Amino acid sequence: MSYIPRLKGEYKSRVVTALTEEFSYSNIMQVPKLQKIVVSKGVGAAIADKKLIDYAVEELSSITGQKAVSTFSKKDVAAFKLRKGMPIGVKVTLRGDKMYEFLDRLITASLPRVRDFNGIKANGFDGRGNYNLGITEQIIYPEINIDKVHKIGGMDITFVTSAPTDKEAKSLLTELGLPFKKN
């Protein structure tokens, strides 16, 4: 028997039945699922120092367990001394088992390390069942050694679901364990 991540097994055993009861789906294939998680980080200071992109790629790769890629500017912006094609950020797209492992580590190990944490905001939904979460410091992850951090910066985490509405997506993410704030 092969390894199945904890949250993936929990999704199949508990979350599917809970969502089917809540929204009364007629078919099990109607139950929304997490399709991918995109972790991205903008490195605006990389215009002056090209090494910052390498550090950001290294940090994001160690956090997610998958190789990060650089993102490049699409156009020239004279006010920011930015040229088309310059590296200005990094991103990772997680799917499958790595996605569930990252989500499990985010919920159980990283979010509890945030100072004065009392839940994540529920207003990050986009109207199509996707949720965006902003992290202010990358040092909340246990994989990051604080002595080796060159610059403290945040990142954005996007949860892409197959849910048609925000209400269904929020129920899915809540059942998976994301700690949303109570009103």
Side-chain angles (χ1 to χ4, degrees), residues 109-141:
S110 301
L111 287 179
R113 292 177 64 164
V114 176
R115 262 182 264 133
D116 301 331
F117 183 71
N118 53 3
I120 57 177
K121 294 180 183 171
N123 60 0
F125 289 95
D126 67 351
R128 294 186 186 95
N130 304 318
Y131 180 70
N132 292 303
L133 169 67
I135 303 288
T136 54
E137 297 176 334
Q138 82 271 33
I139 57 175
I140 67 167
Y141 293 97

Side-chain angles (χ1 to χ4, degrees):
M1 186 170 158
S2 64
Y3 170 73
I4 297 173
R6 183 183 71 85
L7 279 181
K8 188 175 189 179
E10 194 171 303
Y11 172 79
K12 289 181 178 178
S13 64
R14 186 185 58 80
V15 175
V16 170
T17 54
L19 290 176
T20 303
E21 290 170 7
E22 184 179 348
F23 295 103
S24 62
Y25 296 119
S26 60
N27 188 344
I28 198 168
M29 297 303 286
Q30 290 177 306
V31 178
K33 57 180 157 278
L34 196 58
Q35 293 177 324
K36 65 182 175 179
I37 296 176
V38 180
V39 184
S40 60
K41 180 176 184 173
V43 188
I47 295 169
D49 188 8
K50 303 287 184 225
K51 283 262 188 232
L52 290 177
I53 289 288
D54 298 334
Y55 298 140
V57 165
E58 189 179 309
E59 282 180 357
L60 219 54
S61 297
S62 68
I63 288 170
T64 59
Q66 184 173 309
K67 181 87 167 97
V69 296
S70 301
T71 57
F72 301 96
S73 63
K74 290 182 171 61
K75 54 185 167 182
D76 298 340
V77 181
F80 300 129
K81 298 179 182 167
L82 184 66
R83 298 264 178 253
K84 182 178 181 181
M86 288 177 77
I88 54 168
V90 293
K91 72 173 182 175
V92 176
T93 302
L94 301 168
R95 290 184 171 87
D97 290 351
K98 286 189 178 184
M99 170 185 70
Y100 284 108
E101 285 295 327
F102 173 76
L103 181 60
D104 199 6
R105 285 195 323 268
L106 176 73
I107 294 167
T108 58
S110 301
L111 287 179
R113 292 177 64 164
V114 176
R115 262 182 264 133
D116 301 331
F117 183 71
N118 53 3
I120 57 177
K121 294 180 183 171
N123 60 0
F125 289 95
D126 67 351
R128 294 186 186 95
N130 304 318
Y131 180 70
N132 292 303
L133 169 67
I135 303 288
T136 54
E137 297 176 334
Q138 82 271 33
I139 57 175
I140 67 167
Y141 293 97
E143 297 90 356
I144 297 292
N145 184 355
I146 195 162
D147 297 331
K148 295 183 180 178
V149 171
H150 294 278
K151 188 170 191 228
I152 291 181
M155 61 187 66
D156 295 317
I157 303 172
T158 303
F159 300 93
V160 179
T161 68
S162 62
T165 64
D166 289 345
K167 183 180 178 191
E168 293 174 62
K170 185 176 182 199
S171 293
L172 169 68
L173 293 174
T174 304
E175 289 290 331
L176 284 173
L178 274 180
F180 286 103
K181 281 183 184 173
K182 306 287 187 256
N183 290 336

